[in-house]
Amino acid sequence: MKIDKKTILKIAKLSKIKLKENEIEEFANNLSSILDWVEQLNETDTDNIEPLNNVSSSKLPLREDKTVSNNSSNQVLNNAPEKVEEYFIVPKVVE
Amino acid sequence: MDFKSIKEIKTHLLKRKISIFELNEFFIDKIKKSKINAFIFFDEDLIRKRCKELDSIKNDLPLKGIPIGVKDLFCTKGIKTTAGSKILQNFVPTYESFVTNKLNNSGSVMIGKTNLDEFAMGSSTTTSYYGDTINPIATDKNLVPGGSSGGSAAAVSANLCLGATGTDTGGSIRQPASFCGVVGIKPTYGLCSRWGIIAFASSLDQAGIFSNNVEDASILLKEIAGYDKNDSTSSDITIPNYFKKINENIEGKVIGIPKEYDLPNIPDEIKIVWEKARKKLEKGGAKIINISLKHTKYALPTYYIIAPAEASSNLARYDGVRYGYRSKSQNNLEEMYESTRSEGFGNEVKRRILIGTYVLSAGYYDAYYIKAQKVRKLISNDFNDAFKECDAILTPTTPSPAFQIGQKEDDPIKMYLNDIFTVPASLAGIPGISIPFGKSKDNLPLGIQILSKHFNEQVLFDLGLFLEKNNE
Amino acid sequence: MNNIIKGKKFNWELVVGIEVHAQISSNSKLFSSSPTKFGSTPNSQVSLVDAAMPGMLPVINEFCITQAIKTGLGLKAKINNKSIFDRKNYFYADLPQGYQISQYKHPIVGEGKVEIDLPDGQSKKIRIIRLHLEQDAGKSLHDQSPNKTYVDLNRSGIALMEIVSEPDLSSAEEAAIYINKLRTILRYLNTCDGNMQEGSLRADVNISVKKTGEKNGTRCEVKNLNSIKFIKQAINYEAKRQIDILEDGGNIEQNTLLFDSKLGITKMMRNKEEAHDYRYFPDPDLLPLEIEDKFISDIKNTIPELPDEKKQRYIDQYKLTKYDSSILISEKDTSEYFEKILISNQELKNHTKIISNWIISELFAYLKKDDKQIKQSPVSPENLGKLILLIVNNTISGKIAKEVFEEMYVNKSDPQSIIENQNLTQVTDTKEINKIIEKVLQNNQDKLSEYKNGKNKLFGFFVGQVMKNSNGKANPKIVNELLKEKLN
Ligand SMILES: [Mg+2]
Ligand SMILES: [Zn+2]
């Protein structure tokens, strides 16, 4: 699969990663060759095979509906790059 | 007194031949003198404080006073945790991971946070924002320690601690163990809780252990394993006392040799060692049989779809909003996101995020992601079938000994091929151990890998101990 | 029902489907143990999981599963024994993980239905496509600063049920009735408080128009409407907007819209090209949710009588009209109030119609004036029952009863003591009433002769005078009878 400039930019946008002009081609090439390489999977016959999401044989554990009040604001705001009062602060969204 | 065996040092400590302080001062001194960049975080005062605290505890604890290195992927309360990334350069967790919390409760001394490939993505420990770790086996040769848990493997190998934690997603414990000449075990998926471990690929990530010998690995694994109600994929099973049960009598054990691992392009030195291990086991009374793991060839490409797909989503939280690095360019939210992530992540991480985003995106999901999950099922079936015939599977750990720093950087696929023998077990979630066995023609350590079925770690220790004792 | 919209050139029909986000009533969040209380200080109900701290993992709340199944059963829907949690990936400041855990391909609840009663007396079945569980996002506050956005994660991770209907609704009114009905069902089940002001119930409305007899047109989705008024406004505005475009020869583009409640118009949020690529995939931190039949049947046993069944029972058992019944059952609290009157006053069981009238007209009018819920009514059901008993016993007249009711409402007092204190007991003594009649006839000789000369209309005048002279306390029925005797 050849990844063109338009595709790599679309993927970068979705990933929220800005690529510099000189990186665009490099990553496009990397991705192309990796995708070419993984395409050998098409040699396998997977008709009637269920996709394997998780190898765990356990059942999903269920939690009781109990609250743990952790007076969280200090804990979660502790590492915030920018905060005002009890809020996280981010630059404004432009519409 | 040599400071290489936890088992031995424990008796010295108990008999007061040495104090916790003396023991740890020995390692503090060694770490300060070491030049291999094994640690991202090291604080000698903190270690001394911890020794004092342990000294005041009257009763014995399984790892009382034992210095353990912790991969910097485990969140440690009040101690900077970076995942080897710039994006977490200033992140100080307010919580302690399940595994390191267990280690602390066992009385161990957290000697430092070890270096790793950024977000555990790599096989060389050269993608860390905090510099390369150098393989201590032959520092003049400038070799990689392997990765991603290269700092931990190197630290144990250089005798900077008595054991270390690692995580293994596709070989990140077993491959560096092999390169550094130490024991490394990746247990069954779900044996150790992932709570508090910075996620790379959730369906594959598993914590494990590095040590100087198999018995120490069996002691340490028991201390980090166990059910955790906060990890929904953690298994609620009783953890055996591996160390007590360990048995080097391997008579009657059936060992499978998968023909698909005998690749034409792997060097003879690897094949010779594999052959040698097989012969030793046979001599010890094991029955060797040939088995087939038909889809082995497809394990790596499968892994390089699934792991990046999960990673692309797991790493979305590093957005500069709540913690970690935030770019100065922040005229609006979109720009803040893009600059933060572009400046905060290294190239290998970006590559995998991009690949992962691509294989999950509309129009490609079925062709790549679902296809990979189906092949993953086939690979898992292969192992299930094989373990109907044998107790364990014997393979080389890596297709080569440690290589030079910078050598495979330009070609991602070449780098990915390092994990060719370790990835299949990761996909199937089965346990694997790498035991130092034999040497390359340049006298570098090599590893032999033993695999077994889910939750049969004991057989890995049994066979591992036998090979360790019969490695000349 | 006729829902044809007349355009300038053609007749149009509206096609509306609704996705409701209903916040599950639970103590803790869907995947974490943080409390869910509304209106707490910012970021005070945020666990490490909700803030997506590195290495944190989700663990599902069993009660939220129970609530979703309960709701599914209330919607007469199929409960799926196996469902899967997926990640819906997108970046937003109030979405800490960078993805929302939701159910995409395999929801917990499948196809169901909701019956709605239309104003013309007909009922209509609205098909439900699915109900799935998902996490709510936090809140972004854009108006606190000119160039910054403030983020509060208290809501982040709260459990939501997304209930998706087929496009079976054909007018803004039907949409409003549907939302009301759905809310009633949720409240009966206690699975969601239905409080739209607090955002416990929000709707995304998909709207398209078509010419009669033709197939559905391109739809637009108006996101996140949090009142029934806005839902109606948005639908009517969109219908007109789309019809105008089509009649002018234009095309409708499949856009996502926001409703500006100040201006009463819809605005473009993003067009089809900008549509997100959410990259759904099964969350590897969670295993499939497998539910056994026993789990479902245990929940089934806890389901209370639902509005539709209750309404039918009111019609059959209490002989109430369909209209009265549907009003009494529309809020669980109203039906409870009604039934408490019957329980506390056994003698009233043959007087359900008068009880219903008192609730629907008097009580509702007072409550509405004070903006009170029936639960807050100063008149208890027991006391209203006593009052009604006094009426049916002929102890007081209906007119007096209204005065007594006002007194009861204002002073929270019981009717008996009001009547005693103010001597309002109805006069049923024929001797006494006859005395008053004599007096009235005496004082109105002229009118009396007019009546006798054939002016029958004056009968009412005499009744009125007698009532007035008794200060309203005379039993009107007896007054009538006695007057008739006297005059004829
Ligand atoms: Mg929607
Ligand atoms: Zn939703």
Side-chain angles (χ1 to χ4, degrees), chain A residues 1 13 15-16 18 30 35 39 41 43-44 46 49 52-53 55 75 78-80 82 89 92, chain B residues 92 94 297-298 322-323 326 332-334 338-339 341-342 351 357-358 368 371 373-374 427:
Chain A
M1 174 62 74
K13 194 90 196 151
S15 312
K16 295 277 181 279
K18 193 165 53 193
N30 283 167
L35 289 171
E39 268 159 26
L41 293 188
E43 296 164 11
T44 59
T46 49
I49 302 293
L52 181 64
N53 286 331
V55 294
Q75 201 172 204
N78 209 35
N79 279 284
E82 194 179 348
I89 303 297
K92 212 161 222 165
Chain B
V92 180
T94 56
K297 183 183 164 194
Y298 303 108
R322 297 162 315 284
Y323 48 79
R326 181 189 285 192
N332 58 64
L333 184 65
E334 184 78 7
E338 292 192 347
S339 314
R341 290 165 61 81
S342 306
R351 195 146 43 224
T357 302
Y358 182 83
Y368 291 99
K371 181 74 187 180
Q373 284 203 317
K374 288 182 171 183
L427 289 170

Side-chain angles (χ1 to χ4, degrees), chain B residues 47-269:
Chain B
I47 299 169
R48 294 191 182 105
K49 214 176 115 198
R50 172 68 172 156
C51 289
K52 219 175 259 172
E53 180 186 289
L54 287 165
D55 193 54
S56 69
I57 297 171
K58 290 279 166 302
N59 46 327
D60 188 33
L61 293 166
L63 298 176
K64 194 171 176 182
I66 305 293
I68 301 289
V70 170
K71 186 180 187 179
D72 204 20
L73 201 63
F74 292 82
C75 291
T76 42
K77 189 175 179 173
I79 294 173
K80 197 179 71 166
T81 299
T82 70
S85 182
K86 180 183 178 184
I87 215 160
L88 285 175
Q89 62 183 1
N90 49 12
F91 175 61
V92 180
T94 56
Y95 49 96
E96 184 79 27
S97 84
F98 183 87
V99 161
T100 51
N101 190 45
K102 279 205 91 188
L103 279 175
N104 291 340
N105 291 340
S106 299
S108 72
V109 176
M110 207 288 281
I111 197 102
K113 302 289 294 284
T114 62
N115 201 6
L116 68 157
D117 280 304
E118 186 181 3
F119 282 101
M121 296 175 188
S123 311
S124 57
T125 314
T126 56
T127 67
S128 169
Y129 180 66
Y130 306 93
D132 302 343
T133 296
I134 296 158
N135 192 323
I137 289 295
T139 46
D140 54 318
K141 287 186 179 154
N142 208 31
L143 302 175
V144 301
S148 64
S149 318
S152 284
V156 172
S157 175
N159 201 207
L160 307 180
C161 51
L162 285 168
T165 67
T167 61
D168 189 315
T169 305
S172 281
I173 289 176
R174 291 159 288 161
Q175 187 253 17
S178 169
F179 279 14
C180 293
V182 297
V183 173
I185 179 163
K186 176 203 96 80
T188 309
Y189 182 83
L191 188 83
C192 302
S193 167
R194 293 185 293 115
W195 195 89
I197 300 174
I198 295 177
F200 161 18
S202 312
S203 78
L204 297 153
D205 293 346
Q206 185 50 212
I209 286 297
F210 292 95
S211 63
N212 288 306
N213 58 67
V214 172
E215 283 185 314
D216 283 2
S218 75
I219 293 169
L220 291 173
L221 183 62
K222 184 177 178 348
E223 298 310 319
I224 66 162
Y227 176 67
D228 177 9
K229 62 175 176 30
N230 291 321
D231 174 358
S232 298
T233 59
S234 149
S235 288
D236 193 0
I237 61 153
T238 321
I239 308 301
N241 192 329
Y242 307 113
F243 174 69
K244 257 197 182 144
K245 286 185 164 174
I246 204 162
N247 180 4
E248 60 188 279
N249 179 0
I250 59 161
E251 223 161 305
K253 290 269 189 314
V254 182
I255 315 287
I257 308 291
K259 65 167 190 264
E260 290 80 6
Y261 282 58
D262 191 3
L263 300 171
N265 50 352
I266 58 165
D268 282 346
E269 54 188 351

Side-chain angles (χ1 to χ4, degrees), chain C residues 89-187:
Chain C
N89 294 283
Y90 64 97
F91 285 85
Y92 203 68
D94 55 26
L95 187 74
Q97 295 166 136
Y99 54 83
Q100 176 197 35
I101 306 179
S102 180
Q103 296 186 309
Y104 183 53
K105 277 196 186 144
H106 304 279
I108 184 164
V109 176
E111 289 172 8
K113 61 170 194 274
V114 171
E115 292 255 346
I116 59 169
D117 291 327
L118 304 177
D120 65 358
Q122 303 269 50
S123 41
K124 183 172 177 180
K125 192 174 86 182
I126 308 303
R127 291 166 300 160
I128 301 296
I129 300 174
R130 61 187 278 161
L131 175 156
H132 68 251
L133 279 164
E134 63 185 27
Q135 300 175 297
D136 208 345
K139 253 190 198 139
S140 293
L141 292 86
H142 302 292
D143 48 6
Q144 308 281 308
S145 142
N147 52 1
K148 301 281 183 184
T149 291
Y150 285 41
V151 180
D152 171 13
L153 299 179
N154 278 347
R155 212 177 60 188
S156 160
I158 287 182
L160 299 177
M161 298 179 279
E162 182 172 331
I163 303 165
V164 185
S165 86
E166 292 279 4
D168 287 346
L169 299 157
S170 354
S171 68
E173 287 67 35
E174 283 187 15
I177 296 167
Y178 167 72
I179 294 287
N180 261 320
K181 182 63 181 285
L182 191 60
R183 186 166 58 172
T184 303
I185 295 171
L186 296 172
R187 283 177 171 168

Side-chain angles (χ1 to χ4, degrees), chain B residues 296-308:
Chain B
T296 300
K297 183 183 164 194
Y298 303 108
L300 264 188
T302 299
Y303 176 85
Y304 277 97
I305 290 170
I306 291 171

Side-chain angles (χ1 to χ4, degrees), chain C residues 59-71:
Chain C
V59 182
I60 198 164
N61 182 342
E62 176 170 14
F63 185 63
C64 293
I65 297 170
T66 304
Q67 293 284 64
I69 293 174
K70 206 171 183 182
T71 306

